Amino acid sequence: MDIYRIYVINNGADAQNFWCFLAPPQELVNDQRVFANSNVRLRIRNNVNGHNYFEIPVQYVIGAGASNNAVGLGVKIVSNIVEDANIGEIWEANYSTVPPNEGPTLTKLPKVSPSNTISIVSNRFDKVKNQDNDWFCNQSFGIKTTSGFLGMTWSPEPQETRILTPKLRFYISIGEYGSNVLANWDQVANQAAVVHVPTSFAFEKCTVIYTSTGDWKVVKGEPEPVA
């Protein structure tokens, strides 16, 4: 498994919360129903000694959940069930129709997703009836790290198939986001450092610098030693 390390240096005037977000696959970029979702963050003081970094193993995950919380901007969503997923796999998310208020299941199907993709299939369920009874389904895709989940969440449609082509691109952003609280992509990507795999890395390491003027620099490799 490839493991990428993103060092973060804060040269600003104040301590900041630095968040790591995973950019969406191309198939989800223009879908307004899809929201950024992360609980991976570091609070870093300005000009602090030592190294602060995000360590990201490339293990994709599929998530599915159901709760009284509707999927939408500013809503906290944590999937009830999460499974590791690999390129070429197809997963089926099975959602119940109320009553009762049951959580979903995730099952890997004995089929193959198109080349370089992961597919998520939703079963036949009554979304209108569920939402009329304040029971809202959610679906997520992302990466599992030692610090938590970074990815995206949306409200699935019945009998919907999502064919996703993962791309490893990360946003490092500052702000008062909430852990697993859904955010829009413009908010996340605006004024963020963009880290590309593999071009931003040297030996699977890169350094992101937040400057005193509020700009970002992305440098290959580890931080330079401080004299």
Side-chain angles (χ1 to χ4, degrees):
M1 179 189 301
D2 293 330
I3 299 176
Y4 294 92
R5 182 175 290 187
I6 304 174
Y7 293 90
V8 181
I9 296 175
N10 179 13
N11 287 339
D14 304 298
Q16 297 283 359
N17 288 323
F18 290 83
W19 290 82
C20 186
F21 292 93
L22 176 68
Q26 188 61 43
E27 294 88 348
L28 303 182
V29 167
N30 296 316
D31 193 330
Q32 298 301 310
R33 299 175 299 163
V34 179
F35 300 91
N37 189 352
S38 175
N39 61 1
V40 179
R41 69 175 178 179
L42 289 170
R43 184 163 182 83
I44 304 175
R45 300 193 305 274
N46 60 315
N47 300 312
V48 68
N49 292 325
H51 288 161
N52 294 278
Y53 56 83
F54 298 108
E55 192 161 79
I56 306 171
V58 182
Q59 176 58 69
Y60 296 110
V61 292
I62 302 295
S67 72
N68 298 117
N69 295 323
V71 176
L73 187 64
V75 176
K76 183 171 183 176
I77 297 291
V78 180
S79 294
N80 303 114
I81 182 170
V82 176
E83 296 284 356
D84 291 350
N86 298 306
I87 297 294
E89 293 179 346
I90 300 178
W91 287 81
E92 183 177 41
N94 287 278
Y95 299 95
S96 298
T97 297
V98 298
N101 292 359
E102 289 186 340
T105 62
L106 277 171
T107 305
K108 185 170 69 172
L109 300 180
K111 301 177 182 179
V112 178
S113 189
S115 179
N116 298 317
T117 70
I118 296 173
S119 295
I120 314 172
V121 180
S122 302
N123 67 313
R124 183 179 183 273
F125 67 98
D126 194 329
K127 183 175 182 177
V128 173
K129 184 177 181 181
N130 283 358
Q131 294 187 165
D132 285 346
N133 287 273
D134 295 323
W135 193 240
F136 301 91
C137 300
N138 63 72
Q139 200 167 96
S140 299
F141 171 75
I143 289 178
K144 178 176 65 177
T145 77
T146 54
S147 301
F149 170 81
L150 57 144
M152 55 227 66
T153 298
W154 60 89
S155 176
E157 297 296 326
Q159 303 187 71
E160 177 182 49
T161 298
R162 294 273 195 181
I163 300 176
L164 307 178
T165 307
K167 59 179 176 182
L168 287 177
R169 190 176 75 201
F170 303 100
Y171 297 124
I172 306 299
S173 182
I174 62 171
E176 297 304 319
Y177 303 101
S179 181
N180 291 123
V181 174
L182 305 186
N184 66 49
W185 294 108
D186 289 340
Q187 178 187 6
V188 167
N190 187 33
Q191 301 299 321
V194 184
V195 179
H196 299 265
V197 176
T199 56
S200 299
F201 290 81
F203 303 105
E204 299 183 340
K205 297 175 182 177
C206 83
T207 301
V208 171
I209 303 169
Y210 181 67
T211 73
S212 60
T213 57
D215 297 310
W216 296 94
K217 293 182 181 179
V218 178
V219 182
K220 293 182 179 180
E222 300 183 31
E224 295 183 0
V226 177

